[in-house]
């Protein structure tokens, strides 16, 4: 389909041919354009997305393309994939911001890239484009239905509620489908005269020659035959026995093809001329009032429709932002997880290298620099995982008031003497379920942001209360504990506020911020089951609100983990990791701790080793492995060796439920000390249950470890 094809602008080299071939292999239509002019001409023939190389648009005249993008209808937001050059120059961020501002819905892919990355991004863009087309069709259909419904309601409301005459609507078989109270007064049993028994003389009518009308000549019956009947007069016996004069008219109701599908019957009481004149005057007055009332109602309806359209436009914009953040989160989470693995190898090898370095001040200084850099990288990946909602959280019941009071000194030192810190923390709030360390880090990030927004000083207020959450948050209705951080700083304009939680977006100068602070806070709130809202007014400061889930346990019942000892007898540890670099680092750290280390590069290899009869005291496995995950390996290993302790090493938070709660986890990247603590705790527990202390061979773990050497 032309509406879903990809237009490619890569005039130099083989980029266009390669991209077309990759997309063609997965069934995505594409067209390579030789220049920007050809690209603009091809846009009018239908397009799903644009794939542009940076060098083709960096210095080009984009006026025509920008004009086309700006002229899109409100439902359309053409996605653009920009293939950028590798590099970290200072011009990268301004150029990216310029192209984003010009082209709108832009996704950046740095070259060289893996083909899977391009195909995944293109498919994501096309899914969003299809939803735009679907939204267009829904909006058109909805507007049509709303107009039809409003018209029908206006006609029938006037018919049913305000006409002082009897009106009924019958189908083509003569069955009454709808009637008003006035009609019911004339026909209490809702049966039209032409369908009543022939011996019923309650309706007596005469034609122009004075002949008695038969029932097949009554207005309703004639209207069903397609005739327009005007004012046939009857003498009518009322239910109370009195007689009055009435005038009956019939109007056929036709469908679009002209076929009669029913009829309208109108009954007017004309018992006395004066009464008729008075009734006419009342009708005129009533109709005028009805017109005024309907005019007012129509104006109110129009205003409601305008408000709904504004709400719809806001919802569409929120949807686009949500889709953009979701895409960024998926890419960011994957990159951060891979980076975590690299940092794991760096930190582990640095720790082992430190033990082998000579006692030299220069070497020590160089080592400390390397360690600090790696640890800063680990902090950065944690923020990336927080934005992507993949960080490994350890939620527990937390007293927010106590947590804030405990942070008071830290916050005062962080914001400095020019900022007045106010903490409003009532003590009667219920505890919340959240990772306290991550929450403290989030509050500290918000405080530092507020400090930077108040260079000349100001007031920072951190308050707690319990407040209802908006429907837009996605949470169940009700009141939740709320944490508010408000400053009196410079504030943000609407454009800045719209992008504030995007990763790496920062209003600070180059080198003064990562742009991940608000992203991390937003990710923590959502991953913890809460909600996040950011509001700001230029010149009046910024307000950050966090709604947090209530804890089912009280703070006093939460058991704190006991600090394990790092002293453990030598044991046989089986390390399973498909990444040779991480496996080598972990094995070296364990060997340095005095353990005998066995290696397996996959779950199947590990199971084969366990089933061979090899004695293993502890299984240390990675989670994300091809073929068999660490959780699946743990289940299979425990089936083979029921008492085998298992330690799961992972940087993911979204692990399957169930057995995960029974598996101790070691968060990546970890140090040798953390590894020693975790293994020692499991080995000590195993010895306490005699699973490690005594096996069929009767050897102590230390003796068995010596035997395996």
């Amino acid at each position: 389909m032309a509406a879903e094809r990809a237009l490619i602008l890569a005039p130099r080299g083989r980029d266009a041919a390669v991209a077309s071939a990759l997309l063609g292999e997965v069934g995505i239509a594409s067209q390579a354009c030789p220049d920007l002019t050809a690209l603009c001409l091809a846009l009018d023939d239908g397009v799903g997305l644009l794939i542009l190389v940076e060098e083709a648009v960096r210095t080009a005249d984009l006026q025509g393309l920008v004009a086309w993008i700006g002229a899109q209808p409100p439902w359309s937001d053409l996605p653009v994939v920009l293939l950028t050059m590798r590099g970290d120059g200072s011009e990268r961020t301004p150029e990216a911001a310029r192209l984003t501002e010009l082209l709108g819905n832009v996704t950046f892919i740095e070259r060289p890239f893996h083909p899977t990355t391009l195909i995944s991004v293109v498919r994501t863009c096309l899914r969003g484009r299809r939803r735009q087309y679907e939204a267009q069709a829904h909006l058109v259909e909805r507007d049509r239905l709303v107009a039809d419904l409003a018209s029908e309601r206006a006609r029938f409301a006037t018919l049913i509620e305000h006409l002082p005459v009897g009106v009924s609507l019958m189908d083509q078989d003569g069955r009454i489908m709808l009637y008003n109270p006035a009609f019911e007064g004339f026909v209490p049993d809702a049966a039209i005269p032409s369908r009543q028994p022939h011996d019923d003389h309650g309706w007596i009518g005469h034609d122009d020659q004075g002949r008695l009308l038969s029932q097949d000549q009554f207005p309703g019956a004639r209207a069903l035959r397609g005739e327009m009947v005007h004012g046939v007069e009857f003498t009518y016996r009322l239910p109370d026995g009195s007689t009055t004069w009435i005038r009956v008219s019939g109007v056929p109701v036709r469908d679009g093809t002209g076929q009669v599908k029913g009829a309208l019957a109108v009954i007017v009481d004309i018992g006395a001329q004066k009464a008729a004149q008075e009734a006419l005057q009342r009708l005129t007055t009533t109709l005028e009032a009805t017109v005024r009332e309907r005019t007012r109602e129509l104006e109110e309806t129009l205003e409601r429709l305008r408000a709904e359209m504004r709400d719809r436009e806001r919802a569409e914009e929120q949807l686009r932002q949500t889709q953009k953040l979701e895409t960024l989160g998926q890419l960011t989470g994957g990159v951060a997880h891979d980076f975590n693995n690299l940092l794991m190898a760096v930190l582990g090898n640095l720790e082992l290298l430190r033990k082998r370095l000579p006692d030299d001040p220069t070497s020590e200084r160089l080592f400390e620099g390397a360690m600090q850099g790696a640890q800063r990288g680990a902090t950065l990946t944690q923020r990336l995982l927080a934005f992507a909602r993949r960080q490994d959280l350890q939620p527990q019941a937390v007293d927010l008031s106590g947590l804030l009071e405990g942070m008071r000194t830290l916050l005062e030192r962080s914001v400095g003497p020019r900022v007045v810190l106010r903490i409003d923390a009532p003590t009667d709030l219920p505890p919340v379920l959240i990772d306290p360390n991550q929450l403290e880090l989030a509050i500290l990030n918000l405080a530092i942001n507020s400090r930077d927004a108040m260079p000349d000083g100001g007031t920072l207020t951190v308050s707690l209360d319990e407040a209802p959450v908006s429907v837009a948050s996605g949470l169940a209705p009700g009141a939740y504990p709320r944490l508010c951080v408000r400053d009196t700083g410079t504030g943000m304009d609407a454009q800045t506020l719209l992008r504030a939680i995007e990763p790496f977006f920062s209003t600070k100068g180059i080198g003064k911020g990562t742009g991940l602070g608000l992203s991390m806070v937003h990710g923590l709130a959502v991953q913890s089951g809460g909600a996040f809202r950011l509001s700001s007014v230029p010149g009046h400061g910024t307000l950050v609100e966090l709604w947090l889930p209530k804890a089912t346990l009280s703070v006093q019942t939460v058991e704190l983990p006991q600090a394990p000892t790092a002293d453990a007898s030598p044991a046989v540890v089986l390390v399973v990791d498909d990444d040779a670099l991480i496996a080598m680092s972990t094995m070296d750290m364990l060997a340095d701790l005095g353990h005998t280390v066995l290696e397996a590069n996959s779950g199947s290899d590990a199971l084969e080793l366990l089933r061979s009869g090899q004695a293993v005291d502890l299984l240390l496995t990675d989670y994300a492995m091809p073929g068999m995950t660490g959780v699946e390996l743990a289940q299979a290993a425990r089936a083979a060796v029921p008492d085998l302790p298992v330690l799961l090493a992972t940087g993911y938070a979204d692990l399957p439920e169930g057995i995960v709660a029974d598996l101790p986890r070691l968060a990546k990247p970890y140090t040798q000390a953390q590894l020693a603590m975790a293994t020692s705790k499991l080995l000590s527990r195993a010895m306490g249950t005699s699973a490690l202390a005594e096996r069929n061979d009767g050897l102590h773990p230390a003796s068995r470890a010596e035997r395996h050497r």
Side-chain angles (χ1 to χ4, degrees):
M1 295 174 59
E4 293 190 2
R5 64 174 177 166
L7 295 183
I8 304 173
L9 179 59
R12 299 178 184 176
R14 299 183 63 254
D15 286 346
V18 171
S20 296
L22 290 175
L23 296 180
E25 290 178 358
V26 294
I28 299 175
S30 63
Q31 176 182 337
C33 301
D35 51 39
L36 193 58
T37 301
L39 177 73
C40 293
L41 292 175
L43 288 173
D44 293 332
D45 296 331
V47 59
L49 77 158
L50 300 181
I51 301 178
L52 312 176
V53 297
E54 183 182 16
E55 57 268 23
V57 298
R58 181 186 300 167
T59 58
D61 182 6
L62 302 178
Q63 183 176 359
L65 179 58
V66 172
W68 192 94
I69 291 176
Q72 295 180 93
W75 58 266
S76 178
D77 189 15
L78 178 63
V80 179
V81 177
L82 189 62
L83 307 181
T84 65
M85 300 297 292
R86 180 186 296 276
D88 299 321
S90 60
E91 75 282 2
R92 171 65 57 211
T93 299
E95 180 63 15
R98 183 184 76 87
L99 292 175
T100 301
E101 180 68 22
L102 290 175
L103 302 180
N105 186 6
V106 180
T107 300
F108 293 89
I109 300 180
E110 184 178 87
R111 292 177 291 177
F113 55 83
H114 195 278
T116 303
T117 301
L118 175 64
I119 293 172
S120 175
V121 171
V122 168
R123 282 176 169 166
T124 300
C125 292
L126 287 178
R127 283 195 298 271
R129 189 63 170 167
R130 294 188 194 105
R131 285 193 289 270
Q132 294 175 17
Y133 292 138
E134 294 170 0
Q136 176 203 18
H138 291 327
L139 291 176
V140 171
E141 179 64 13
R142 179 182 179 276
D143 291 342
R144 186 187 68 78
L145 292 176
V146 168
D148 292 344
L149 181 61
S151 177
E152 291 296 329
R153 285 181 174 176
R155 288 196 295 268
F156 281 98
T158 302
L159 171 68
I160 297 301
E161 297 181 15
H162 298 284
L163 285 178
V165 297
V167 179
S168 69
L169 174 66
M170 65 188 80
D171 63 12
Q172 58 188 356
D173 295 325
R175 293 188 296 266
I176 291 182
M177 307 299 295
L178 187 67
Y179 57 91
N180 67 349
F183 183 86
E184 188 178 19
F186 290 103
V187 189
D189 57 358
I192 61 175
S194 59
R195 292 176 61 86
Q196 290 180 338
H198 290 281
D199 57 353
D200 185 354
H201 301 290
W203 297 73
I204 302 174
H206 299 80
D207 61 10
D208 296 339
Q209 286 74 35
R211 292 173 298 189
L212 186 67
L213 292 178
S214 61
Q215 290 186 343
D216 62 346
Q217 294 299 314
F218 281 13
R222 292 169 58 187
L224 290 175
R225 294 196 296 267
E227 298 182 42
M228 183 74 72
V229 184
H230 299 284
V232 177
E233 296 181 356
F234 289 83
T235 57
Y236 174 66
R237 186 172 63 246
L238 297 172
D240 61 358
S242 62
T243 302
T244 186
W245 281 89
I246 59 174
R247 179 182 292 120
V248 182
S249 300
V251 180
V253 177
R254 304 178 186 273
D255 61 13
T257 63
Q259 297 294 321
V260 176
K261 294 298 182 181
L264 285 173
V266 180
I267 304 175
V268 182
D269 187 354
I270 55 172
Q273 187 65 35
K274 184 174 178 57
Q277 294 175 350
E278 292 175 354
L280 179 61
Q281 183 62 39
R282 288 194 300 270
L283 175 62
T284 302
T285 303
T286 302
L287 286 176
E288 291 176 352
T290 301
V291 170
R292 289 193 298 269
E293 178 65 19
R294 287 295 170 264
T295 301
R296 183 185 63 80
E297 292 178 356
L298 288 174
E299 291 175 349
E300 293 176 352
T301 301
L302 180 60
E303 182 58 33
R304 285 196 299 270
L305 288 175
R306 289 171 178 167
E308 290 178 1
M309 292 178 65
R310 291 192 294 267
D311 292 341
R312 183 183 64 199
E313 291 172 355
R314 286 193 294 268
E316 290 174 351
E317 181 60 27
Q318 291 175 354
L319 175 61
R320 285 193 290 271
Q321 292 299 322
T322 300
Q323 291 171 344
K324 183 190 298 182
L325 289 177
E326 184 65 24
T327 301
L328 288 174
Q330 292 174 357
L331 295 175
T332 302
V335 171
H337 178 259
D338 292 340
F339 192 41
N340 245 350
N341 284 340
L342 297 178
L343 288 173
M344 176 65 250
V346 172
L347 287 170
N349 287 304
L350 282 175
E351 282 196 297
L352 295 176
L353 181 61
R354 184 175 196 174
K355 297 181 179 182
R356 292 161 175 77
L357 287 176
D359 189 9
D360 176 59
T362 301
S363 299
E364 183 68 20
R365 178 174 55 83
L366 294 175
F367 172 80
E368 286 296 335
M371 284 293 292
Q372 291 178 12
Q375 289 167 354
R376 289 177 64 181
T379 301
L380 178 62
T381 59
Q382 289 303 312
R383 291 183 175 181
L384 288 171
L385 289 171
F387 166 74
R389 303 198 287 274
R390 290 187 175 183
Q391 63 178 339
D392 188 12
L393 299 180
Q394 301 295 326
Q396 62 186 67
V398 175
D399 176 14
L400 289 177
S401 301
L403 184 141
L404 284 181
E405 287 300 327
M407 293 184 65
R408 182 184 292 273
T409 302
L410 175 61
L411 292 175
E412 289 175 345
R413 292 177 180 174
S414 299
V415 299
R418 305 188 68 178
V419 175
V420 177
L421 175 65
R422 295 177 179 173
I423 296 180
D424 181 12
T427 58
D428 57 347
L429 292 178
V432 298
L433 184 65
I434 198 168
D435 187 322
N437 296 325
Q438 294 296 330
L439 180 59
E440 288 179 352
L441 179 59
I443 296 173
L444 185 60
N445 274 327
L446 294 176
I448 293 174
N449 282 349
S450 297
R451 178 201 65 191
D452 294 341
M454 299 183 289
D456 299 326
T459 301
L460 172 62
T461 303
V462 183
S463 60
L464 298 175
D465 61 4
E466 191 169 3
V469 68
S470 65
V471 177
S473 67
L475 299 181
Y480 292 77
R482 179 177 63 171
L483 170 68
C484 299
V485 179
R486 184 191 302 271
D487 64 56
T488 58
T490 55
M492 292 179 280
D493 57 27
Q495 287 298 111
T496 303
L497 187 64
L498 193 63
R499 301 187 56 199
I501 62 173
E502 292 184 7
F504 306 111
F505 175 79
S506 176
T507 57
K508 303 176 183 178
I510 296 177
K512 295 184 179 180
T514 62
L516 289 171
L518 285 176
S519 301
M520 171 263 188
V521 178
H522 174 265
L524 173 65
V526 175
Q527 187 179 355
S528 300
F532 172 94
R533 183 168 69 184
L534 178 66
S535 55
S536 185
V537 178
H540 293 81
T542 300
L543 171 64
V544 177
E545 298 171 276
L546 295 179
W547 283 269
L548 302 175
K550 296 180 182 179
T552 55
L553 299 177
S554 63
V555 177
Q556 290 77 11
T557 59
V558 176
E559 297 182 2
L560 297 176
Q562 298 180 356
T565 174
D567 297 329
S569 301
V572 179
V573 181
L574 174 57
V575 176
V576 186
D577 201 308
D578 62 311
D579 191 315
L581 188 62
I582 298 175
M584 179 181 65
S585 173
T586 303
M587 291 172 62
D588 289 341
M589 287 192 291
L590 289 170
D592 187 66
L593 293 172
H595 298 302
T596 299
V597 186
L598 304 177
E599 179 184 8
N601 300 119
S602 66
S604 58
D605 291 345
L607 288 177
E608 183 177 352
L609 188 147
L610 289 172
R611 291 165 180 166
S612 69
Q614 171 67 51
V616 175
D617 299 320
L618 175 66
L619 172 62
L620 172 58
T621 177
D622 184 31
Y623 169 69
M625 296 185 298
M628 180 183 295
T629 67
V631 173
E632 293 170 341
L633 172 59
Q635 292 174 317
R638 285 181 170 175
V641 185
D643 297 327
L644 179 64
V646 180
L647 179 60
L648 186 67
T650 181
Y652 279 100
D654 51 347
L655 299 180
E657 298 180 357
I659 191 170
V660 178
D662 188 41
L663 285 180
R665 279 183 280 171
L666 183 60
K668 291 183 179 180
Y670 48 82
T671 63
Q672 188 181 30
Q674 293 169 332
L675 178 62
M677 284 290 192
T679 54
S680 175
K681 180 178 180 180
L682 289 178
L683 290 171
S684 298
R685 184 184 302 168
M687 289 186 64
T689 58
S690 300
L692 180 63
E694 184 175 348
R695 294 191 183 269
N696 292 334
D697 54 12
L699 294 179
H700 186 272
S703 302
R704 185 167 59 257
E706 187 65 32
R707 186 183 67 182
H708 289 312
R709 295 179 183 226

